[in-house]
Amino acid sequence: MKAGHDITVVDNFFTGVKANVEHWIGHANFELIHQDIVNPLFVEVDEIYHLASPASPPHYMFNPVKTIKTNTIGTINMLGLAKRVGAKVLIASTSEVYGDPEVHPQPETYWGHVNPIGPRACYDEGKRVSETLSYAYAKHEKVSVRVARIFNTHGPRMHMNDGRVVSNFILQALRNEPITVYGSGKQTRSFQFVSDLVDGLIALMESNYTQPVNLGNPTEHTINEFAKIIKDLVGGESQIISKSAVEDDPQRRKPDITRAMTYLNWKPKVGLKEGLKMTINYFKEELRKSQNKTQ
Ligand SMILES: NC(=O)c1ccc[n+]([C@@H]2O[C@H](COP(=O)([O-])OP(=O)(O)OC[C@H]3O[C@@H](n4cnc5c(N)ncnc54)[C@H](O)[C@@H]3O)[C@@H](O)[C@H]2O)c1
């Protein structure tokens, strides 16, 4: 909107909250539509960022059939809309399309290692079909598609109770509760800060590059290291404890971002600790607000 665009946000508020966009309500270029994208949408637009989907395991496992519908019927609706109005469409895919990868780091040419009937399949396979649909519409309907394979992202306005590692560790550390590591803690992840992702999504939309592109921060740490980093940044008395491993938890995760660097001239700018400090401050402020409400 600061660049002069008119923006229409479409959300069914399954995991999203109106408070995240309330500072835009009333702005002349802003519109908010409460709608589920599993139902057809009729609007006039030039570009579609199709980000709608539950994103964390507890949210996407809450109703697996609905997760599949959002990523298949919902994606067909977004691609159909793009076809009707001649818009470009960017699909938010995920590093989960690589499953528990046998190739490390993961380049976009890797086809993945996904369990099609495991607990994460509704999301992983849903996103894989979403990609397949995008290229079917590109080939047969001449829709201009962009596919972003997003790796773990965090930042202010994320869902505090999404059950993912960053939010779990920060909340536990801020509440002086034990920090729970599932499995050996030797599994690795790499976390990017939300502003880097947004820059990458816009660069991808504006580029002429139509193959999938990884967007993530390649700085890789074990979960044990993350627990220690977050505990040190937050301070407090939390102990780091182990719990049994989660089914189908990927063991290694690190994006190969050569494509994004080559075709989008993009790479992450925000360092791990710098980004985590901003997310921790957001969590602190939200906890303070909710404590004030209950007093
Ligand atoms: N955050 C990450 O680490 C990450 C990693 C990989 C991919 N992604 C993808 O990026 C996108 C955004 O994720 P996020 O982390 O911002 O999650 P989020 O939960 O904050 O945002 C997703 C939004 O989609 C909405 N939504 C869900 N189902 C819908 C439906 N049927 N109709 C309309 N709206 C619906 C939710 O209410 C929410 O506002 C998702 O597609 C997700 O799969 C995120």
Side-chain angles (χ1 to χ4, degrees), residues 156-290:
R157 302 204 182 100
M158 73 187 287
H159 205 297
M160 291 214 300
N161 296 305
D162 68 5
R164 281 187 286 193
V165 66
V166 172
S167 33
N168 277 356
F169 285 0
I170 295 177
L171 274 184
Q172 289 166 335
L174 285 172
R175 290 174 171 154
N176 280 320
E177 290 167 1
I179 297 179
T180 47
V181 170
Y182 293 95
S184 70
K186 290 187 181 140
Q187 65 274 40
T188 68
R189 292 291 183 275
S190 38
F191 292 107
Q192 82 180 320
F193 190 66
V194 65
S195 59
D196 283 330
L197 173 63
V198 172
D199 289 346
L201 293 174
I202 294 171
L204 177 59
M205 182 67 106
E206 286 176 356
S207 77
N208 290 323
Y209 195 75
T210 55
Q211 288 298 297
V213 178
N214 287 339
L215 294 174
N217 190 322
T219 310
E220 184 187 16
H221 285 281
T222 66
I223 293 294
N224 284 332
E225 287 163 354
F226 272 121
K228 177 89 176 54
I229 291 169
I230 289 176
K231 181 180 148 63
D232 290 347
L233 286 175
V234 173
E237 308 295 318
S238 295
Q239 301 291 314
I240 299 173
I241 61 163
S242 299
K243 290 213 168 177
S244 46
V246 195
E247 190 179 347
D248 288 344
D249 194 24
Q251 290 308 298
R252 297 193 77 185
R253 252 315 146 60
K254 171 180 169 167
D256 177 334
I257 59 165
T258 313
R259 247 186 211 181
M261 291 196 298
T262 310
Y263 295 101
L264 311 183
N265 195 21
W266 174 89
K267 65 176 180 198
K269 293 184 198 134
V270 182
L272 177 69
K273 287 190 184 168
E274 190 191 343
L276 282 174
K277 277 185 202 161
M278 289 187 263
T279 305
I280 291 168
N281 285 340
Y282 169 76
F283 275 53
K284 266 189 199 158
E285 186 56 22
E286 290 300 294
L287 285 179
R288 193 189 56 77
K289 279 192 219 158
S290 65

Side-chain angles (χ1 to χ4, degrees), residues 10-16 35-38 50-55 66 70 92-95 123 127 150-153 164:
V10 180
D11 204 304
N12 71 349
F13 300 107
F14 174 51
T15 55
Q35 173 157 336
D36 195 308
I37 58 146
V38 169
H50 169 27
L51 304 167
S53 169
K66 177 70 196 210
T70 297
S93 184
T94 169
S95 55
Y123 183 70
K127 291 287 185 183
I150 301 169
F151 283 64
N152 293 42
T153 305
R164 281 187 286 193

